[in-house]
């Protein structure tokens, strides 16, 4: 009985009973206490007075039995529950009480209690104590095979602390070790759970591709059977698509998770709320009434701030779509006020704030609308949110301009930002489609190999059976045996021929279907690109032409009037038309730089440097060696390299306030080195490890080309960037 408390926390084949009534009917015993601990520590369980009373009764029973490990388990369970409810001081009081029992616990039980101590202090913001107890578990469990489970759980929990500090490398090394130990433990449930936890953590770091690569090996198991991880996997896919702005596919996977036969009440509630939010973003309100009924049926998950806000935001979106302004506004305000400890939900807050701004703008209260738009903008500046959230804000600001005039500079800046965000989301979706095609093909190949192996096994079984028949017939007589053998041999030959024909037909079907899938996906991608370009021309150029038209209309009244300022207004209109021309040229240049397309890579770079020098009055020194024969380089490599150079130069102009630029681009045998240095204001030491949206995109482009990036600088001493990009093999002309 020494490991009762630890066993109550173990991932394994003995889950908590589904119904609390089963526990209540059990006779008083240590096993009943263990089952109650399992049940109460389940994050999906809603804490109520009944569970509280059962825990108090169990604690009294454990004290009568004089089972210190069970007493500790019950007290620490109460601490974990209070933490989940946001009662941090109560949680700390309980866990300190449990800590007094440490001298009476064995290593396994002590490791479990240390884990709860670290978890609570981490969640309450006391990182020093959290690190102390995490270190305690590591020293206690290291090199002890019997405690490998506790060590894996500690490594996983410790990453929550590293996530707060943004230490991705530490998170990665801890999880790699946790997965290695999980494999050594021969515990499939622990290994699977650890991989899912790692994938979830990678999503928090916006490492979507790495998260998907970890999970894709589990796809055949998840698609061919429904288990306790299927819902989690579908939710990860849905969130992954939402971050890329692909709300359609995000909705599809949320709907699949909602319809799973083994989905819990909390899972159904969270997914129906997501379905409402995604339908709102898609502007598809056809099933809103039925979704709203399901939303009310499953209620709110009280244990999660994110779920609470998501539920209230779904209420707001429903009434917003129904044009019920009063109810929509009230629910937006309720969603904004939800708080739980130090938990944050910046992406949801941006949706709530922009939703409020839209409601107030429609009511004519533009001051309140401006207030909430500023709050949304501050949230975007403070947190590193995905491009999809930033696009929601950009659309809200564009919508606000219909109700209150916005300055031309602000409008142009917002249109420029919206164009950039849409382009980023498109690239993310295109990358996602490519990954999924590769994964789907890999899964298809594995299934084909399994089917082939099965058919070969069937053939081998048939051959063995026929061989037995042959031996039996040979005993009867040689003459009859020869005749029968000839018949059997012919039969086997025909069987093999038929099996081979069937196999080739099925293989061709699989290949044809895969080819069709690729063509359909490429067609969809082309259509999306056409639609995106059309939207840019309509929204951005159309908006500026409307402003120009308004200026021209005012000229009609003053053109023949005496002493009018028509000349000045004409000059303003002329300047505006020049701006429109520049904007159209910039849009075209962003889609495909003209010099890059017409004259080649080197000429395009020189053109870019000369333009910067002329437009910004900068002293630009440059040295370009090589780049003479780039015709056979892959187009995506040339364009991505150009974008990388363009992004660094733009940063130096916009942010560094530099007066001198040094640019060196040298073509080596198998790589390109790019060195760019400015004499600007440099980078503060504390900002070296912080990545903004532009830096994230720059690093993503360099990683996409399998390159290396180094950026450094000191305050008032300038900044330098060094990039090395391997040159792909030339494509055939």
């Amino acid at each position: 009985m020494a490991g009762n408390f630890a066993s109550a926390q173990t991932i394994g084949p003995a889950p908590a009973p589904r119904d609390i009534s089963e526990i209540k009917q059990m006779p008083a015993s240590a096993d009943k206490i263990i089952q109650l601990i399992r049940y109460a520590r389940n994050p999906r369980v809603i804490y109520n007075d009944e569970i509280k009373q059962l825990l108090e009764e169990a604690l009294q029973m454990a004290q009568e039995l004089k089972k210190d490990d069970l007493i500790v388990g019950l007290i620490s369970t109460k601490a974990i529950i209070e933490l989940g409810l946001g009662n941090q001081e109560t949680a700390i009081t309980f866990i300190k009480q449990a800590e007094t029992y440490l001298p009476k616990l064995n290593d396994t039980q002590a490791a479990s209690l240390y884990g709860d101590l670290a978890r609570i202090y981490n969640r309450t913001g006391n990182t020093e104590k959290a690190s102390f107890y995490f270190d305690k578990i590591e020293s206690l469990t290291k090199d002890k095979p019997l405690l490998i489970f506790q060590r894996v759980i500690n490594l996983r929990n410790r990453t929550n602390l590293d996530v707060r500090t943004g230490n991705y490398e530490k998170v990665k090394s801890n999880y790699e070790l946790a997965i290695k130990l999980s494999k050594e433990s021969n515990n499939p449930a622990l290994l699977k759970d650890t991989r899912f936890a790692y994938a979830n953590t990678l999503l928090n770091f916006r490492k979507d591709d790495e998260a998907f690569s970890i999970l894709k090996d589990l796809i055949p198991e998840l698609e061919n059977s429904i288990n306790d991880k299927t819902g989690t996997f579908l939710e990860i896919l849905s969130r992954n698509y939402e971050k890329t702005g692909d709300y359609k596919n995000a909705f599809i996977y949320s709907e699949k998770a909602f319809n799973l036969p083994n989905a819990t009440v909390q899972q159904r509630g969270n997914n129906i709320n997501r379905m409402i939010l995604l339908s709102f973003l898609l502007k598809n309100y056809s099933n809103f009434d039925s979704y709203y009924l399901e939303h009310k049926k499953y209620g709110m998950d009280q244990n999660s701030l994110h779920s609470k806000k998501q539920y209230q935001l779904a209420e707001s979106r429903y009434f917003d779509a129904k044009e019920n302004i009063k109810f929509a506004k009230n629910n937006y305000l309720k969603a904004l006020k939800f708080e739980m400890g130090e938990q944050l939900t910046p992406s949801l807050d941006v949706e709530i704030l922009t939703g409020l701004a839209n409601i107030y703008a429609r009511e004519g209260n533009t001051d309140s609308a401006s207030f909430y738009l500023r709050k949304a903008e501050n949230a975007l500046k403070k947190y590193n949110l995905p491009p999809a959230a930033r696009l929601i804000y950009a659309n809200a600001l564009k919508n606000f301009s219909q109700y209150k005039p916005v300055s031309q500079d602000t409008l142009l800046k917002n249109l420029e930002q919206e164009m950039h965000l849409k382009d980023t989301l498109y690239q993310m979706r295109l990358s996602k489609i490519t990954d999924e095609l590769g994964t789907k093909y890999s899964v298809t190949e594995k299934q084909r190999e399994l089917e082939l192996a099965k058919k070969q096994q069937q053939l081998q079984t048939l051959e063995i059976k026929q061989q037995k028949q042959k031996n039996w017939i040979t005993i009867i007589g040689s003459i009859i045996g020869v005749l029968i053998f000839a018949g059997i041999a012919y039969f086997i030959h025909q069987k093999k021929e038929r099996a081979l024909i069937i196999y080739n037909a099925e293989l061709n079907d699989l290949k044809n279907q895969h080819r069709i899938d690729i063509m359909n996906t490429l067609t969809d991608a082309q259509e999306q690109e056409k639609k995106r370009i059309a939207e840019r021309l309509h929204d951005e150029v159309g908006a500026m032409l409307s402003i120009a038209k308004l200026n021209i209309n005012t000229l009609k009244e003053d053109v023949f009037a005496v002493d009018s300022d028509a000349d000045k207004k004409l000059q303003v209109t002329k300047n505006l038309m020049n701006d429109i021309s520049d904007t159209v040229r910039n849009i075209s240049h962003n889609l495909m730089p003209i010099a890059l397309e017409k004259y080649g890579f080197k000429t395009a770079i020189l053109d870019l440097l000369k333009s910067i020098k002329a437009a910004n009055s900068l002293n630009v020194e440059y040295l370009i060696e090589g780049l003479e024969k780039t015709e056979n380089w892959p187009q995506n490599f040339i364009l991505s390299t150009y974008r990388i150079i363009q992004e660094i130069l733009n940063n130096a102009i916009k942010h560094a306030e530099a007066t001198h630029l040094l640019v060196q681009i040298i073509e080596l045998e198998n790589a390109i080195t790019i060195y760019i240095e400015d004499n600007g204001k440099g980078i503060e030491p504390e900002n070296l490890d912080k990545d903004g949206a532009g830096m994230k995109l720059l690093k993503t482009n360099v990683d996409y080309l399998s390159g290396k990036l180094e950026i450094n600088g000191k305050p008032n001493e300038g900044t330098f960037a060094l990039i090395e990009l391997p040159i792909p093999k030339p494509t055939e002309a």
Side-chain angles (χ1 to χ4, degrees):
M1 300 294 289
N4 284 339
F5 168 44
S7 66
Q9 298 172 298
T10 302
I11 298 173
R18 294 183 179 180
D19 192 347
I20 190 65
S21 61
E22 297 180 37
I23 300 176
K24 292 169 66 177
Q25 293 173 3
M26 294 175 66
S29 63
D31 185 48
K32 181 176 182 178
I33 297 175
I34 293 171
Q35 293 301 321
L36 179 61
I37 292 174
R38 280 181 175 274
Y39 182 87
R41 293 177 79 95
N42 189 333
R44 297 175 180 174
V45 171
I46 298 176
Y47 190 53
N48 54 33
D49 290 339
E50 181 184 28
I51 298 176
K52 182 177 180 180
Q53 181 62 32
L54 287 173
L55 286 172
E56 291 297 333
E57 293 173 358
L59 182 58
Q60 185 177 354
M61 185 194 311
Q63 289 170 343
E64 292 174 357
L65 294 172
K66 297 182 179 180
K67 295 291 184 181
D68 293 328
D69 61 320
L70 295 181
I71 295 172
V72 171
L74 289 163
I75 297 174
S76 61
T77 297
K78 290 168 67 176
I80 293 297
I81 291 172
E82 293 295 337
L83 180 69
L85 295 174
N87 303 324
Q88 296 185 3
E89 292 183 2
T90 306
I92 291 174
T93 300
F94 279 133
I95 204 63
K96 284 184 176 179
Q97 183 182 346
E99 189 177 9
T100 61
Y101 285 83
L102 269 173
K104 303 178 182 180
L105 303 179
N106 61 29
D107 286 351
T108 303
Q109 297 158 357
S112 297
L113 180 55
Y114 282 141
D116 285 342
L117 283 159
R119 178 181 176 185
I120 288 173
Y121 283 118
N122 186 31
R123 285 277 299 277
T124 55
N126 192 335
T127 55
E128 184 178 351
K129 280 197 172 183
S131 297
F132 172 77
Y133 288 112
F134 282 133
D135 291 339
K136 280 279 189 180
I137 302 173
E138 180 65 14
S139 62
L140 183 64
T141 59
K142 192 174 183 180
D143 301 325
K144 294 181 181 178
L146 293 177
L147 298 179
I148 194 170
F149 172 85
Q150 283 78 9
R151 188 182 182 195
V152 170
I153 297 301
N154 178 55
L155 290 168
R156 282 167 42 181
N157 290 337
R158 186 162 200 155
T159 57
N160 295 327
L161 180 63
D162 296 324
V163 167
R164 281 190 173 188
T165 59
N167 191 344
Y168 170 67
E169 293 301 324
K170 187 66 174 177
V171 169
K172 184 177 180 181
S173 63
N174 280 343
Y175 261 114
E176 287 175 351
L177 177 57
I179 290 175
K180 176 178 177 293
L181 293 170
S182 298
K183 291 177 180 178
E184 294 174 1
S185 72
N186 294 320
N187 186 338
L190 178 62
L191 176 59
K192 186 190 301 182
D193 205 68
T194 301
R195 292 171 71 179
F196 271 101
Y198 188 19
N200 271 313
T201 302
L202 287 170
L203 288 175
N204 291 332
F205 279 97
R206 297 180 64 190
K207 303 286 184 179
D208 294 15
D209 294 338
E210 293 181 31
F212 191 76
S213 67
I214 291 173
L215 292 174
K216 66 183 179 182
D217 291 338
L218 301 173
I219 289 177
E221 176 187 344
L222 291 166
E223 289 190 344
N224 295 330
S225 63
I226 296 175
N227 57 48
D228 60 333
K229 293 300 178 185
T230 305
T232 303
F233 177 71
L234 293 174
E235 289 171 4
I236 288 174
L237 285 177
S238 178
R239 292 198 303 273
N240 201 348
Y241 276 111
E242 185 179 4
K243 286 186 177 181
T244 66
D246 190 348
Y247 302 129
K248 182 179 179 181
N249 276 315
F251 177 88
I252 289 172
Y253 283 108
S254 278
E255 187 177 37
K256 285 183 177 181
F258 174 79
N259 290 323
L260 283 175
N262 66 337
T264 64
V265 171
Q266 286 83 1
Q267 285 177 323
R268 290 186 190 277
N270 288 331
N271 279 293
I272 195 63
N273 291 335
R274 283 179 54 77
M275 289 164 65
I276 292 175
L277 300 182
L278 292 166
S279 295
F280 186 87
L281 293 172
L282 289 167
K283 298 182 180 179
N284 181 1
Y285 312 130
S286 56
N287 295 317
F288 249 39
D289 289 334
S290 61
Y291 294 160
Y292 187 71
L293 290 176
E294 296 290 344
H295 155 85
K296 283 296 187 183
K297 175 182 176 182
Y298 290 104
M300 181 190 297
D301 182 359
Q302 297 289 342
N303 291 341
S304 166
L305 173 65
H306 188 276
S307 297
K308 284 182 178 182
K309 284 209 171 190
Q310 188 172 257
Y311 175 92
Q312 206 66 53
L313 179 57
E315 288 266 318
S316 311
R317 295 304 203 192
Y318 172 76
F319 289 115
D320 199 339
K322 293 293 183 180
E323 297 294 333
N324 191 330
I325 303 299
K326 179 180 178 182
F327 278 72
K329 181 166 64 176
N330 289 340
N331 280 287
Y332 277 128
L333 291 170
K334 287 180 183 178
L336 193 61
K337 291 179 181 178
F338 270 126
E339 295 181 358
M340 184 183 289
E342 296 182 358
Q343 295 185 46
L344 299 172
T345 57
S347 292
L348 287 179
D349 286 338
V350 168
E351 289 194 58
I352 295 167
L353 292 166
T354 53
L356 274 169
N358 181 53
I359 291 292
Y360 280 112
R362 283 150 65 186
E363 287 182 333
N365 189 345
T366 54
D367 290 340
S368 294
S370 298
F371 171 76
Y372 286 110
L373 278 175
R374 284 195 299 272
K375 292 197 73 170
E377 183 181 10
N378 291 336
L380 290 173
K381 290 178 180 178
K382 185 175 181 181
Y383 305 105
N384 186 22
L385 299 183
R390 297 178 178 275
L391 186 59
I392 289 174
Y393 168 77
N395 288 332
L397 185 60
K398 183 169 67 175
N399 182 63
F400 176 70
S401 66
Q402 299 175 8
Y403 300 94
K404 182 179 180 180
V406 179
S407 69
Q408 182 181 347
D409 290 342
T410 301
L411 183 61
L412 290 174
K413 182 180 178 181
N414 188 60
L415 289 172
E416 226 176 84
Q417 184 182 16
E418 182 182 356
M419 176 188 68
H420 177 71
L421 289 170
K422 286 182 177 180
D423 186 60
T424 301
L425 290 171
Y426 171 75
Q427 294 296 335
M428 291 171 67
R429 288 197 291 270
L430 197 60
S431 176
K432 176 71 176 173
I433 290 170
T434 304
D435 287 344
E436 286 194 349
L437 278 174
T439 302
K440 187 173 182 181
Y441 180 75
S442 175
V443 171
T444 303
E445 286 293 300
K446 288 182 179 179
Q447 290 175 342
R448 183 188 65 79
E449 291 173 1
L450 289 173
E451 291 173 3
L452 177 60
K454 185 177 180 180
K455 284 181 171 55
Q456 289 176 339
Q457 186 178 6
Q458 289 174 347
L459 288 174
Q460 290 175 356
T461 302
L462 180 61
E463 288 177 351
I464 292 172
K465 182 178 179 181
Q466 298 299 338
Q467 185 63 40
K468 288 180 179 179
Q469 291 177 355
K470 173 187 173 183
N471 292 337
W472 180 79
I473 294 171
T474 302
I475 295 173
I476 298 175
S478 58
I479 298 176
I480 298 175
V482 170
L483 294 175
I484 294 176
F485 175 78
I488 292 173
Y490 177 76
F491 175 75
I492 292 174
H493 176 73
Q494 291 297 318
K495 200 74 172 175
K496 287 183 177 180
E497 287 289 330
R498 286 195 297 272
L500 185 60
I501 291 171
I502 293 171
Y503 165 74
N504 287 332
E506 291 179 350
L507 180 60
N508 287 332
D509 287 342
L510 287 172
K511 290 181 178 179
N512 289 335
Q513 185 60 46
H514 178 63
R515 198 174 295 113
I516 291 170
D517 289 344
I518 292 177
M519 293 301 296
N520 288 339
T521 303
L522 291 176
T523 301
D524 289 343
Q526 291 172 353
E527 290 302 318
Q528 290 176 10
E529 176 65 7
K530 292 177 183 177
K531 181 178 179 182
R532 184 172 67 87
I533 295 171
E535 287 177 350
R536 286 183 179 180
L537 291 174
H538 178 271
D539 295 345
E540 299 168 15
V541 178
M544 288 187 289
L545 285 173
S546 296
I547 299 172
K549 183 178 178 181
L550 182 63
N551 277 274
I552 292 172
N553 287 338
T554 59
L555 277 172
K556 291 171 60 179
E557 300 174 2
D558 298 334
V559 67
F560 295 112
V562 178
D563 297 329
S564 70
D565 58 348
D567 289 339
K568 293 181 179 179
K569 290 186 178 181
L570 184 60
Q571 184 61 40
V572 170
T573 304
K574 182 179 177 182
N575 293 338
L576 183 59
M577 294 304 293
N578 288 336
D579 290 343
I580 292 172
S581 176
D582 291 340
T583 300
V584 172
R585 184 167 59 254
N586 287 337
I587 292 174
S588 174
H589 189 74
N590 282 331
L591 290 173
M592 174 60 73
I594 296 173
L596 189 64
E597 184 178 12
K598 286 188 175 182
Y599 308 113
F601 183 51
K602 184 173 183 178
T603 303
I605 296 298
L606 292 171
D607 182 58
L608 175 63
L609 295 174
K610 291 175 183 177
S611 298
I612 291 173
K613 183 175 182 180
N616 298 278
S617 300
L618 290 177
N619 182 11
V620 180
E621 291 184 65
Y622 58 85
L623 171 65
I624 301 178
E625 294 186 2
L627 307 183
E628 303 294 341
K629 297 180 180 180
T630 62
E631 299 83 8
N632 293 331
W633 287 6
Q635 190 63 25
N636 66 327
F637 174 79
I638 294 175
L639 183 56
S640 297
T641 304
Y642 181 90
R643 295 293 190 206
I644 289 169
I645 297 170
Q646 187 181 47
E647 180 65 23
I648 296 177
L649 293 173
N650 285 341
N651 285 339
I653 296 168
K654 292 181 180 179
H655 306 301
E657 302 176 2
T659 60
H660 182 275
L661 284 175
L662 172 62
V663 181
Q664 294 182 351
I665 305 173
I666 301 174
E667 179 187 356
L668 304 176
E669 183 176 356
N670 296 312
I672 295 177
T673 61
I674 303 166
Y675 179 86
I676 300 176
E677 182 180 359
D678 65 69
N679 67 340
K681 61 184 181 181
I683 303 175
E684 294 293 336
E686 60 269 22
N687 294 331
L688 283 174
D689 295 328
K690 295 181 179 178
D691 291 343
M695 185 61 67
K696 287 281 187 183
L697 185 60
L698 177 63
K699 288 184 176 180
T700 300
N701 281 330
V702 174
D703 290 341
Y704 173 72
L705 299 178
S706 301
K708 298 177 181 178
L709 169 66
E710 180 183 358
I711 295 180
N712 211 333
K714 296 181 179 179
N716 302 317
E717 293 185 16
T719 306
F720 76 85
L722 177 62
I723 302 168
E724 182 177 350
L725 302 174
I727 301 174
K729 293 182 179 179
T731 57
E732 296 181 1

